[in-house]
Amino acid sequence: MNKEGKIIIISAPSGTGKSTIINSIINNEDLKLSFSVSATNRPPREGEVDGVNYYYLTTEEFQKRIAENAFVEFEEVYPGRYYGTLKSEVERILNGGYNLILDIDVKGGLNVKKQYPDAVSIFIQPPSIECLRERLINRKTDSMEVINERVSKAEYELSFAKYYDHNVVNDVLETAIEEVKEIIKKAI
Ligand code: 5GP
């Protein structure tokens, strides 16, 4: 696999503002970033677009891709919900000379870091668990049941933060964006 571009792994508990941070830096001309679109068998949320946010697959299609060895890594991030980084995405982006942004869970992040030790890993933290719960409620995209599931998952995910190259606390969004930008600038 050609590795011209740099791999940037970004992980964070759900609702930490990770997508907002990624969206605000993705088109920065200096950083030359491209987002790796993952495959998932979870249904699209309102406003999400197939091929832009994710490639939405049925469980059968996802399993077929696993059998074809199409993934760099994949995880069952939530019970019955699979997410995976496609080899085709990684190759397309790195061969095109772009730096690859991976928005993946903590296990996937550590897995990729093991496969690509040159990758830069960034963990984005919420200021607190209480703050995270509030943000998820305000986002209005998930049911209370899903929110509770995500909050308990967040506590588990936070225990992985120490394995990341960089930790950024998203308290003030603009500051967090600048910090992430600086980390990437230095790495590429
Ligand atoms: P969401 O359903 O909120 O879009 O994403 C749920 C979680 O799945 C997030 O933590 C996100 O980072 C993770 N995720 C998204 N794509 C991938 C992937 O390709 N691999 C892994 N391991 N996790 C992913």
Side-chain angles (χ1 to χ4, degrees), residues 1 11-12 34 38 49-50 72 77 86 112 121 127 132 147 164 183:
M1 211 179 275
S11 299
S34 188
S38 295
V49 178
D50 187 36
V72 173
V77 179
L86 291 160
V112 172
S121 59
L132 182 69
I147 289 172
Y164 279 68
I183 291 167

Side-chain angles (χ1 to χ4, degrees), residues 18 38 42 45 54 73 83-85 103-105 150:
K18 178 184 50 178
S38 295
R42 86 145 161 76
R45 292 194 189 114
Y54 286 104
E73 63 76 40
Y83 297 80
T85 307
D103 168 353
I104 59 181
D105 87 316
R150 289 187 175 223

Side-chain angles (χ1 to χ4, degrees), residues 107-126:
K107 281 199 199 156
L110 295 185
N111 185 348
V112 172
K113 179 76 185 176
K114 214 167 162 188
Q115 294 185 54
Y116 300 94
D118 284 349
V120 178
S121 59
I122 306 172
F123 190 94
I124 299 169
Q125 297 208 24

Side-chain angles (χ1 to χ4, degrees), residues 85-181:
T85 307
L86 291 160
K87 285 181 183 168
S88 53
E89 282 286 297
V90 174
E91 282 166 11
R92 178 179 65 78
I93 294 169
L94 293 182
N95 292 343
Y98 281 87
N99 299 304
L100 172 79
I101 287 262
L102 292 176
D103 168 353
I104 59 181
D105 87 316
V106 287
K107 281 199 199 156
L110 295 185
N111 185 348
V112 172
K113 179 76 185 176
K114 214 167 162 188
Q115 294 185 54
Y116 300 94
D118 284 349
V120 178
S121 59
I122 306 172
F123 190 94
I124 299 169
Q125 297 208 24
S128 68
I129 287 286
E130 296 70 44
C131 182
L132 182 69
R133 181 186 288 280
E134 268 173 42
R135 283 185 192 173
L136 285 171
I137 292 169
N138 292 336
R139 189 162 83 173
K140 296 193 171 85
T141 54
D142 298 300
S143 66
M144 260 336 269
E145 190 192 342
V146 170
I147 289 172
N148 287 335
E149 189 182 285
R150 289 187 175 223
V151 168
S152 54
K153 175 102 180 175
E155 289 168 338
Y156 163 77
E157 289 168 323
L158 280 167
S159 69
F160 285 78
K162 57 179 177 288
Y163 302 118
Y164 279 68
D165 299 326
H166 303 274
N167 270 249
V168 171
V169 178
N170 183 12
D171 188 2
V172 178
L173 179 64
E174 287 311 316
T175 311
I177 291 171
E178 280 312 308
E179 277 182 46
V180 171
K181 236 190 249 173

